């Protein structure tokens, strides 16, 4: 009798669970946030800054960054169990894409959040100056999609014009996923885009004075910025991380700079230029501009605007 009752109760509970699941499946709109509180989780720091600006002040919307803001670029990052918990809590997950978060590829293929917004979508990409070593160590050699991802420059947010596209993609994605707050997302994005456009105009004006000046990029994070400003790139040395600049690359830079009347050096603030200071002495005169590429910080929503304003001032004062 006891066993029969147990079976009946178990069957009844299963039936209730199935009915509940069926109701959820029938009423759920795919890729749309359905509860009052909306949690936006971002992959890493520059994406977090972007999301804070577009979701600023939107009632019931929380923006959380998955990876600590002091870590920097995620090329060789290993996802932690806590990262997975944070990611699984997302109603909307926002990532840069373009190979910036390679550790997410397998995760998203098998268990993605309800909505994933990829900010590199639709943006023309440049090749990267290197292939990250983890591909070689783990796979022996890069191949297929891994090879393509390893060869792409992911630092889109350093370019005002591409960052503009990223903000537009983010706004459109949030409006679609959370239509109840669409007007607020649009208003926030419009304000932020106006600031980005002002920075772009200021940089374009400053760059006209050096349009034909040989420019040395000290990291490929600056390649999109150089393209924005139509700079004449004479050499590119991809410093930092696991990369070693080859002797041939250094030699080519030396040949391009010897006897040049004036050269511009663009440096990423993450990396020391000390080992290559001799290059700056090769032209008759040189200017060094250091760029905060916004990959680490304290989380201030205005970090990108502050960093790019400082770049404008350095450009205007230092050339």
């Amino acid at each position: 009798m006891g066993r029969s009752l147990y079976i009946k109760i178990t069957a009844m509970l299963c039936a209730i669970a199935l009915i509940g699941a069926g109701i959820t499946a029938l009423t759920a709109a795919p890729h749309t946030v359905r509860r009052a509180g909306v949690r936006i989780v971002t992959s890493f720091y520059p994406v977090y800054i972007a999301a804070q600006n577009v979701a600023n002040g939107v009632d019931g919307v929380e923006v959380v960054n998955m990876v600590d803001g002091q870590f920097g670029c995620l090329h060789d990052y290993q996802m932690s169990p806590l990262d997975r918990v944070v990611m699984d809590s997302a109603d909307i997950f926002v990532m840069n894409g373009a190979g910036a978060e390679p550790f997410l590829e397998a995760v998203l293929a098998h268990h993605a959040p309800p909505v994933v917004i990829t900010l590199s979508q639709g943006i023309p990409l440049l090749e990267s100056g290197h292939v990250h070593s983890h591909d070689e160590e783990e796979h022996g050699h890069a191949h297929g999609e891994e090879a393509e991802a390893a060869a792409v420059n992911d630092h889109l947010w350093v370019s005002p014009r591409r960052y503009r596209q990223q903000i537009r993609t983010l706004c459109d994605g949030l409006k679609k996923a959370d239509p109840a707050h669409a007007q607020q997302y649009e208003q926030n994005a419009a304000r932020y885009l106006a600031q980005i456009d002002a920075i772009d105009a200021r940089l374009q004006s400053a760059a006209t004075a050096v349009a034909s000046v040989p420019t040395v990029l000290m990291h490929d994070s600056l390649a999109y910025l150089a393209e924005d400003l139509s700079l004449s790139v004479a050499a590119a040395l991809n410093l930092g991380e696991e990369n070693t600049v080859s002797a041939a690359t250094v030699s080519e830079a030396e040949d391009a700079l010897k006897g040049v009347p004036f050269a511009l050096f663009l440096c990423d603030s993450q990396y020391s230029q000390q080992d290559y200071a001799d290059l700056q002495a090769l032209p008759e005169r040189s200017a060094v501009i250091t760029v905060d590429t916004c990959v680490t910080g304290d989380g201030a929503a205005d970090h990108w605007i502050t960093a790019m304003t400082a770049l404008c001032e350095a450009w205007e004062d230092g050339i």
Side-chain angles (χ1 to χ4, degrees):
M1 181 68 176
R3 179 175 175 79
S4 175
L5 179 61
Y6 172 80
I7 292 172
K8 289 179 180 179
I9 292 173
T10 301
M12 182 175 64
L13 291 174
C14 289
I16 292 171
L18 288 170
I19 291 170
I23 292 172
T24 300
L26 288 171
T27 59
H31 306 300
T32 300
V33 175
R34 295 178 298 280
R35 59 188 176 86
V38 178
R39 191 172 224 223
I40 301 171
V41 175
T42 59
S43 58
F44 74 128
Y45 190 76
V47 183
Y48 176 59
I49 297 303
Q52 281 194 94
N53 282 277
V54 179
N56 179 45
V58 180
D59 187 42
V61 175
E62 176 187 23
V63 180
V64 178
N65 196 29
M66 184 177 72
V67 177
D68 186 278
Q70 299 302 318
F71 188 86
C73 290
L74 306 182
H75 299 143
D76 295 302
Y77 187 77
Q78 298 296 318
M79 194 173 192
S80 71
L82 179 58
D83 293 336
R84 184 58 184 269
V85 170
V86 174
M87 183 178 179
D88 286 346
S89 73
D91 295 300
I92 304 169
F93 185 73
V94 187
M95 59 186 290
N96 183 78
E101 306 100 338
F103 64 95
L104 287 177
E105 292 177 7
V107 176
L108 293 175
H110 296 95
H111 184 68
V115 178
V116 177
I117 302 173
T118 304
L119 301 188
S120 60
Q121 185 176 2
I123 299 178
L125 303 174
L126 298 175
E127 290 186 359
S128 174
H130 62 278
V131 176
H132 301 300
S133 62
H134 68 275
D135 289 328
E136 297 172 0
E137 292 171 1
E138 294 178 8
H139 305 290
H141 60 280
H143 56 86
E145 293 182 357
E146 291 165 358
E148 183 179 353
V152 168
N153 188 330
D154 57 285
H155 301 87
L156 297 165
W157 63 91
V158 185
S159 151
R161 295 186 174 183
R162 288 173 175 81
Y163 190 52
R164 186 185 211 291
Q165 290 178 265
Q166 289 192 296
I167 297 303
R168 187 69 261 167
T169 296
L170 175 58
C171 179
D172 291 344
L174 292 178
K175 286 164 60 179
K176 182 178 180 181
D178 182 21
H181 298 118
Q183 184 176 0
Q184 291 171 281
Y185 292 133
E186 186 63 42
Q187 291 171 345
N188 285 342
R191 281 192 292 268
Y192 196 42
L193 289 171
Q195 292 178 286
I196 295 169
D197 289 345
I199 292 289
D200 182 43
R202 192 172 171 184
L203 285 173
Q204 294 292 333
S205 177
T208 56
V210 291
S212 59
V213 171
T215 301
V216 180
L217 305 182
M218 303 303 283
H219 193 270
D220 71 354
S221 60
L222 305 166
Y224 288 114
L225 177 64
E227 187 178 80
D228 270 8
L229 303 178
S230 301
L231 300 180
S232 179
V233 178
L237 282 69
N238 200 30
L239 308 185
E241 299 170 350
E242 74 279 9
N243 305 298
T244 300
V245 179
S246 70
T249 300
V250 175
S251 179
E252 289 173 5
E254 290 173 344
D255 291 342
L257 295 172
K258 284 178 183 176
V260 169
F262 177 61
L264 173 65
F265 289 77
L266 278 185
C267 306
D268 187 323
S269 61
Q270 298 178 86
Y271 308 114
S272 171
Q273 322 300 320
Q274 186 174 355
D275 292 342
Y276 302 92
D278 290 346
L279 288 175
Q280 297 169 16
L282 292 175
E284 295 176 16
R285 185 170 72 91
S286 63
V288 179
I289 302 293
T290 300
V291 184
D292 176 359
T293 53
C294 301
V295 294
T296 61
D298 61 5
D302 65 349
H303 186 166
W304 190 94
I305 296 298
T306 300
M308 289 296 163
T309 299
L311 173 59
C312 291
E313 292 170 351
W315 204 294
E316 292 160 353
D317 296 341
I319 299 177

mmCIF file of all heavy atoms in Angstrom, residues 145-179:
data_model
loop_
_atom_site.group_PDB
_atom_site.id
_atom_site.type_symbol
_atom_site.label_atom_id
_atom_site.label_comp_id
_atom_site.label_asym_id
_atom_site.label_seq_id
_atom_site.Cartn_x
_atom_site.Cartn_y
_atom_site.Cartn_z
ATOM 1 N N GLU A 145 38.655 27.369 -37.542
ATOM 2 C CA GLU A 145 38.156 28.584 -36.927
ATOM 3 C C GLU A 145 39.144 29.154 -35.919
ATOM 4 O O GLU A 145 39.234 30.350 -35.728
ATOM 5 C CB GLU A 145 36.817 28.305 -36.242
ATOM 6 C CG GLU A 145 35.714 27.977 -37.213
ATOM 7 C CD GLU A 145 34.404 27.752 -36.507
ATOM 8 O OE1 GLU A 145 34.385 27.789 -35.264
ATOM 9 O OE2 GLU A 145 33.402 27.528 -37.199
ATOM 10 N N GLU A 146 39.929 28.271 -35.244
ATOM 11 C CA GLU A 146 40.899 28.747 -34.268
ATOM 12 C C GLU A 146 41.956 29.599 -34.936
ATOM 13 O O GLU A 146 42.385 30.622 -34.415
ATOM 14 C CB GLU A 146 41.552 27.564 -33.554
ATOM 15 C CG GLU A 146 40.571 26.829 -32.633
ATOM 16 C CD GLU A 146 41.075 25.479 -32.224
ATOM 17 O OE1 GLU A 146 42.160 25.105 -32.690
ATOM 18 O OE2 GLU A 146 40.402 24.809 -31.440
ATOM 19 N N ALA A 147 42.425 29.175 -36.113
ATOM 20 C CA ALA A 147 43.446 29.936 -36.825
ATOM 21 C C ALA A 147 42.918 31.305 -37.218
ATOM 22 O O ALA A 147 43.605 32.315 -37.092
ATOM 23 C CB ALA A 147 43.902 29.167 -38.072
ATOM 24 N N GLU A 148 41.661 31.351 -37.665
ATOM 25 C CA GLU A 148 41.071 32.620 -38.074
ATOM 26 C C GLU A 148 40.927 33.557 -36.882
ATOM 27 O O GLU A 148 41.249 34.737 -36.951
ATOM 28 C CB GLU A 148 39.716 32.374 -38.712
ATOM 29 C CG GLU A 148 39.061 33.640 -39.233
ATOM 30 C CD GLU A 148 37.720 33.366 -39.883
ATOM 31 O OE1 GLU A 148 37.366 32.191 -40.039
ATOM 32 O OE2 GLU A 148 37.046 34.342 -40.237
ATOM 33 N N ALA A 149 40.474 33.010 -35.726
ATOM 34 C CA ALA A 149 40.296 33.838 -34.548
ATOM 35 C C ALA A 149 41.629 34.374 -34.056
ATOM 36 O O ALA A 149 41.742 35.508 -33.621
ATOM 37 C CB ALA A 149 39.602 33.032 -33.449
ATOM 38 N N ALA A 150 42.668 33.533 -34.116
ATOM 39 C CA ALA A 150 43.973 33.933 -33.623
ATOM 40 C C ALA A 150 44.567 35.039 -34.471
ATOM 41 O O ALA A 150 45.425 35.785 -34.006
ATOM 42 C CB ALA A 150 44.912 32.727 -33.601
ATOM 43 N N ALA A 151 44.144 35.154 -35.730
ATOM 44 C CA ALA A 151 44.734 36.128 -36.647
ATOM 45 C C ALA A 151 43.982 37.449 -36.681
ATOM 46 O O ALA A 151 44.341 38.338 -37.423
ATOM 47 C CB ALA A 151 44.791 35.526 -38.054
ATOM 48 N N VAL A 152 42.952 37.596 -35.861
ATOM 49 C CA VAL A 152 42.109 38.796 -35.897
ATOM 50 C C VAL A 152 42.471 39.735 -34.750
ATOM 51 O O VAL A 152 42.690 39.307 -33.622
ATOM 52 C CB VAL A 152 40.621 38.399 -35.811
ATOM 53 C CG1 VAL A 152 39.750 39.625 -35.559
ATOM 54 C CG2 VAL A 152 40.191 37.712 -37.089
ATOM 55 N N ASN A 153 42.525 41.017 -35.050
ATOM 56 C CA ASN A 153 42.763 42.042 -34.039
ATOM 57 C C ASN A 153 41.437 42.356 -33.350
ATOM 58 O O ASN A 153 40.480 42.793 -33.996
ATOM 59 C CB ASN A 153 43.340 43.297 -34.705
ATOM 60 C CG ASN A 153 43.807 44.336 -33.715
ATOM 61 O OD1 ASN A 153 43.278 44.459 -32.626
ATOM 62 N ND2 ASN A 153 44.811 45.097 -34.113
ATOM 63 N N ASP A 154 41.378 42.173 -32.043
ATOM 64 C CA ASP A 154 40.119 42.299 -31.320
ATOM 65 C C ASP A 154 39.929 43.651 -30.630
ATOM 66 O O ASP A 154 38.880 43.905 -30.036
ATOM 67 C CB ASP A 154 40.017 41.188 -30.265
ATOM 68 C CG ASP A 154 41.194 41.199 -29.293
ATOM 69 O OD1 ASP A 154 42.288 40.762 -29.700
ATOM 70 O OD2 ASP A 154 41.026 41.635 -28.142
ATOM 71 N N HIS A 155 40.899 44.558 -30.709
ATOM 72 C CA HIS A 155 40.884 45.795 -29.921
ATOM 73 C C HIS A 155 40.013 46.885 -30.570
ATOM 74 O O HIS A 155 40.458 48.027 -30.782
ATOM 75 C CB HIS A 155 42.306 46.303 -29.721
ATOM 76 C CG HIS A 155 43.198 45.335 -29.021
ATOM 77 N ND1 HIS A 155 43.916 44.354 -29.692
ATOM 78 C CD2 HIS A 155 43.481 45.176 -27.709
ATOM 79 C CE1 HIS A 155 44.614 43.650 -28.818
ATOM 80 N NE2 HIS A 155 44.365 44.125 -27.609
ATOM 81 N N LEU A 156 38.787 46.560 -30.852
ATOM 82 C CA LEU A 156 37.905 47.468 -31.591
ATOM 83 C C LEU A 156 37.568 48.733 -30.816
ATOM 84 O O LEU A 156 37.384 49.797 -31.406
ATOM 85 C CB LEU A 156 36.614 46.728 -31.959
ATOM 86 C CG LEU A 156 36.779 45.524 -32.887
ATOM 87 C CD1 LEU A 156 35.526 44.675 -32.869
ATOM 88 C CD2 LEU A 156 37.094 45.983 -34.296
ATOM 89 N N TRP A 157 37.455 48.629 -29.510
ATOM 90 C CA TRP A 157 37.018 49.748 -28.688
ATOM 91 C C TRP A 157 38.041 50.899 -28.639
ATOM 92 O O TRP A 157 37.712 51.999 -28.217
ATOM 93 C CB TRP A 157 36.716 49.265 -27.267
ATOM 94 C CG TRP A 157 37.926 48.726 -26.566
ATOM 95 C CD1 TRP A 157 38.806 49.425 -25.769
ATOM 96 C CD2 TRP A 157 38.412 47.378 -26.611
ATOM 97 N NE1 TRP A 157 39.801 48.595 -25.318
ATOM 98 C CE2 TRP A 157 39.585 47.329 -25.816
ATOM 99 C CE3 TRP A 157 37.966 46.207 -27.230
ATOM 100 C CZ2 TRP A 157 40.315 46.153 -25.639
ATOM 101 C CZ3 TRP A 157 38.706 45.040 -27.051
ATOM 102 C CH2 TRP A 157 39.855 45.012 -26.265
ATOM 103 N N VAL A 158 39.287 50.651 -29.075
ATOM 104 C CA VAL A 158 40.301 51.705 -29.082
ATOM 105 C C VAL A 158 40.075 52.669 -30.257
ATOM 106 O O VAL A 158 40.589 53.773 -30.272
ATOM 107 C CB VAL A 158 41.720 51.103 -29.117
ATOM 108 C CG1 VAL A 158 42.795 52.185 -29.004
ATOM 109 C CG2 VAL A 158 41.894 50.086 -27.980
ATOM 110 N N SER A 159 39.300 52.239 -31.213
ATOM 111 C CA SER A 159 38.941 53.068 -32.362
ATOM 112 C C SER A 159 37.603 53.752 -32.099
ATOM 113 O O SER A 159 36.584 53.072 -31.943
ATOM 114 C CB SER A 159 38.815 52.183 -33.617
ATOM 115 O OG SER A 159 37.897 52.715 -34.540
ATOM 116 N N PRO A 160 37.559 55.089 -32.033
ATOM 117 C CA PRO A 160 36.268 55.755 -31.819
ATOM 118 C C PRO A 160 35.200 55.354 -32.825
ATOM 119 O O PRO A 160 34.031 55.188 -32.476
ATOM 120 C CB PRO A 160 36.624 57.244 -31.939
ATOM 121 C CG PRO A 160 38.048 57.317 -31.501
ATOM 122 C CD PRO A 160 38.678 56.051 -32.035
ATOM 123 N N ARG A 161 35.594 55.176 -34.074
ATOM 124 C CA ARG A 161 34.599 54.852 -35.105
ATOM 125 C C ARG A 161 34.068 53.426 -34.953
ATOM 126 O O ARG A 161 32.870 53.182 -35.137
ATOM 127 C CB ARG A 161 35.201 55.093 -36.484
ATOM 128 C CG ARG A 161 35.496 56.563 -36.694
ATOM 129 C CD ARG A 161 35.962 56.923 -38.064
ATOM 130 N NE ARG A 161 36.067 58.382 -38.174
ATOM 131 C CZ ARG A 161 36.399 59.018 -39.277
ATOM 132 N NH1 ARG A 161 36.669 58.356 -40.387
ATOM 133 N NH2 ARG A 161 36.474 60.346 -39.288
ATOM 134 N N ARG A 162 34.921 52.501 -34.608
ATOM 135 C CA ARG A 162 34.448 51.128 -34.393
ATOM 136 C C ARG A 162 33.743 51.002 -33.044
ATOM 137 O O ARG A 162 32.785 50.237 -32.904
ATOM 138 C CB ARG A 162 35.604 50.143 -34.525
ATOM 139 C CG ARG A 162 36.065 49.978 -35.970
ATOM 140 C CD ARG A 162 37.325 49.136 -36.053
ATOM 141 N NE ARG A 162 37.715 48.879 -37.437
ATOM 142 C CZ ARG A 162 38.389 49.725 -38.208
ATOM 143 N NH1 ARG A 162 38.734 50.915 -37.733
ATOM 144 N NH2 ARG A 162 38.715 49.420 -39.443
ATOM 145 N N TYR A 163 34.216 51.742 -32.068
ATOM 146 C CA TYR A 163 33.535 51.751 -30.771
ATOM 147 C C TYR A 163 32.113 52.276 -30.937
ATOM 148 O O TYR A 163 31.174 51.784 -30.300
ATOM 149 C CB TYR A 163 34.318 52.618 -29.801
ATOM 150 C CG TYR A 163 33.858 52.539 -28.360
ATOM 151 C CD1 TYR A 163 33.717 51.313 -27.708
ATOM 152 C CD2 TYR A 163 33.594 53.698 -27.625
ATOM 153 C CE1 TYR A 163 33.314 51.241 -26.388
ATOM 154 C CE2 TYR A 163 33.200 53.642 -26.303
ATOM 155 C CZ TYR A 163 33.056 52.412 -25.684
ATOM 156 O OH TYR A 163 32.653 52.349 -24.362
ATOM 157 N N ARG A 164 31.952 53.240 -31.800
ATOM 158 C CA ARG A 164 30.620 53.758 -32.097
ATOM 159 C C ARG A 164 29.708 52.635 -32.602
ATOM 160 O O ARG A 164 28.551 52.520 -32.179
ATOM 161 C CB ARG A 164 30.719 54.869 -33.139
ATOM 162 C CG ARG A 164 29.413 55.567 -33.400
ATOM 163 C CD ARG A 164 29.471 56.575 -34.505
ATOM 164 N NE ARG A 164 28.537 57.658 -34.264
ATOM 165 C CZ ARG A 164 27.222 57.539 -34.313
ATOM 166 N NH1 ARG A 164 26.669 56.366 -34.630
ATOM 167 N NH2 ARG A 164 26.436 58.561 -34.058
ATOM 168 N N GLN A 165 30.235 51.824 -33.508
ATOM 169 C CA GLN A 165 29.458 50.708 -34.037
ATOM 170 C C GLN A 165 29.141 49.696 -32.943
ATOM 171 O O GLN A 165 28.046 49.112 -32.919
ATOM 172 C CB GLN A 165 30.229 50.028 -35.172
ATOM 173 C CG GLN A 165 30.331 50.862 -36.439
ATOM 174 C CD GLN A 165 31.136 50.162 -37.514
ATOM 175 O OE1 GLN A 165 32.343 50.396 -37.656
ATOM 176 N NE2 GLN A 165 30.494 49.295 -38.266
ATOM 177 N N GLN A 166 30.088 49.487 -32.041
ATOM 178 C CA GLN A 166 29.849 48.547 -30.942
ATOM 179 C C GLN A 166 28.714 49.040 -30.037
ATOM 180 O O GLN A 166 27.868 48.238 -29.613
ATOM 181 C CB GLN A 166 31.132 48.364 -30.130
ATOM 182 C CG GLN A 166 32.215 47.582 -30.860
ATOM 183 C CD GLN A 166 33.336 47.183 -29.941
ATOM 184 O OE1 GLN A 166 34.045 48.021 -29.392
ATOM 185 N NE2 GLN A 166 33.513 45.889 -29.752
ATOM 186 N N ILE A 167 28.711 50.326 -29.751
ATOM 187 C CA ILE A 167 27.648 50.884 -28.905
ATOM 188 C C ILE A 167 26.291 50.773 -29.601
ATOM 189 O O ILE A 167 25.270 50.454 -28.978
ATOM 190 C CB ILE A 167 27.952 52.351 -28.548
ATOM 191 C CG1 ILE A 167 29.250 52.445 -27.728
ATOM 192 C CG2 ILE A 167 26.790 52.975 -27.785
ATOM 193 C CD1 ILE A 167 29.249 51.626 -26.462
ATOM 194 N N ARG A 168 26.267 50.996 -30.900
ATOM 195 C CA ARG A 168 25.025 50.874 -31.654
ATOM 196 C C ARG A 168 24.522 49.424 -31.630
ATOM 197 O O ARG A 168 23.325 49.172 -31.432
ATOM 198 C CB ARG A 168 25.278 51.324 -33.096
ATOM 199 C CG ARG A 168 24.066 51.420 -33.983
ATOM 200 C CD ARG A 168 23.156 52.550 -33.577
ATOM 201 N NE ARG A 168 22.016 52.069 -32.769
ATOM 202 C CZ ARG A 168 21.211 52.854 -32.094
ATOM 203 N NH1 ARG A 168 21.399 54.155 -32.081
ATOM 204 N NH2 ARG A 168 20.209 52.356 -31.389
ATOM 205 N N THR A 169 25.444 48.474 -31.804
ATOM 206 C CA THR A 169 25.080 47.055 -31.749
ATOM 207 C C THR A 169 24.556 46.686 -30.365
ATOM 208 O O THR A 169 23.563 45.954 -30.225
ATOM 209 C CB THR A 169 26.290 46.176 -32.101
ATOM 210 O OG1 THR A 169 26.669 46.436 -33.454
ATOM 211 C CG2 THR A 169 25.980 44.695 -31.937
ATOM 212 N N LEU A 170 25.218 47.201 -29.329
ATOM 213 C CA LEU A 170 24.795 46.928 -27.958
ATOM 214 C C LEU A 170 23.402 47.478 -27.707
ATOM 215 O O LEU A 170 22.531 46.787 -27.152
ATOM 216 C CB LEU A 170 25.804 47.542 -26.982
ATOM 217 C CG LEU A 170 25.451 47.465 -25.494
ATOM 218 C CD1 LEU A 170 25.249 46.024 -25.057
ATOM 219 C CD2 LEU A 170 26.529 48.140 -24.657
ATOM 220 N N CYS A 171 23.164 48.713 -28.095
ATOM 221 C CA CYS A 171 21.853 49.329 -27.883
ATOM 222 C C CYS A 171 20.755 48.546 -28.599
ATOM 223 O O CYS A 171 19.709 48.242 -28.010
ATOM 224 C CB CYS A 171 21.887 50.773 -28.365
ATOM 225 S SG CYS A 171 20.309 51.640 -28.196
ATOM 226 N N ASP A 172 20.995 48.207 -29.852
ATOM 227 C CA ASP A 172 19.978 47.465 -30.610
ATOM 228 C C ASP A 172 19.704 46.104 -29.979
ATOM 229 O O ASP A 172 18.546 45.656 -29.922
ATOM 230 C CB ASP A 172 20.440 47.286 -32.059
ATOM 231 C CG ASP A 172 20.455 48.609 -32.826
ATOM 232 O OD1 ASP A 172 19.834 49.582 -32.359
ATOM 233 O OD2 ASP A 172 21.088 48.660 -33.902
ATOM 234 N N GLY A 173 20.756 45.451 -29.493
ATOM 235 C CA GLY A 173 20.586 44.144 -28.852
ATOM 236 C C GLY A 173 19.805 44.236 -27.558
ATOM 237 O O GLY A 173 18.937 43.387 -27.280
ATOM 238 N N LEU A 174 20.086 45.246 -26.762
ATOM 239 C CA LEU A 174 19.364 45.418 -25.497
ATOM 240 C C LEU A 174 17.909 45.778 -25.741
ATOM 241 O O LEU A 174 17.007 45.302 -25.029
ATOM 242 C CB LEU A 174 20.045 46.499 -24.651
ATOM 243 C CG LEU A 174 21.436 46.163 -24.103
ATOM 244 C CD1 LEU A 174 21.992 47.345 -23.329
ATOM 245 C CD2 LEU A 174 21.405 44.913 -23.230
ATOM 246 N N LYS A 175 17.648 46.608 -26.722
ATOM 247 C CA LYS A 175 16.264 46.981 -27.041
ATOM 248 C C LYS A 175 15.451 45.764 -27.472
ATOM 249 O O LYS A 175 14.278 45.625 -27.109
ATOM 250 C CB LYS A 175 16.258 48.041 -28.148
ATOM 251 C CG LYS A 175 16.692 49.423 -27.695
ATOM 252 C CD LYS A 175 17.042 50.345 -28.854
ATOM 253 C CE LYS A 175 15.881 50.553 -29.796
ATOM 254 N NZ LYS A 175 16.236 51.475 -30.905
ATOM 255 N N LYS A 176 16.075 44.886 -28.232
ATOM 256 C CA LYS A 176 15.375 43.688 -28.690
ATOM 257 C C LYS A 176 15.135 42.714 -27.538
ATOM 258 O O LYS A 176 14.058 42.101 -27.430
ATOM 259 C CB LYS A 176 16.194 43.010 -29.793
ATOM 260 C CG LYS A 176 15.535 41.769 -30.371
ATOM 261 C CD LYS A 176 16.376 41.172 -31.499
ATOM 262 C CE LYS A 176 15.728 39.926 -32.073
ATOM 263 N NZ LYS A 176 16.567 39.324 -33.162
ATOM 264 N N ALA A 177 16.132 42.564 -26.679
ATOM 265 C CA ALA A 177 16.017 41.606 -25.578
ATOM 266 C C ALA A 177 15.127 42.113 -24.451
ATOM 267 O O ALA A 177 14.445 41.342 -23.783
ATOM 268 C CB ALA A 177 17.409 41.298 -25.027
ATOM 269 N N ASP A 178 15.124 43.426 -24.253
ATOM 270 C CA ASP A 178 14.383 44.028 -23.143
ATOM 271 C C ASP A 178 13.563 45.212 -23.658
ATOM 272 O O ASP A 178 13.846 46.376 -23.360
ATOM 273 C CB ASP A 178 15.397 44.481 -22.077
ATOM 274 C CG ASP A 178 14.734 45.074 -20.850
ATOM 275 O OD1 ASP A 178 13.537 44.789 -20.620
ATOM 276 O OD2 ASP A 178 15.414 45.834 -20.127
ATOM 277 N N PRO A 179 12.535 44.941 -24.469
ATOM 278 C CA PRO A 179 11.779 46.020 -25.122
ATOM 279 C C PRO A 179 11.098 46.977 -24.155
ATOM 280 O O PRO A 179 10.819 48.120 -24.522
ATOM 281 C CB PRO A 179 10.755 45.262 -25.978
ATOM 282 C CG PRO A 179 10.683 43.891 -25.399
ATOM 283 C CD PRO A 179 12.025 43.595 -24.833
#
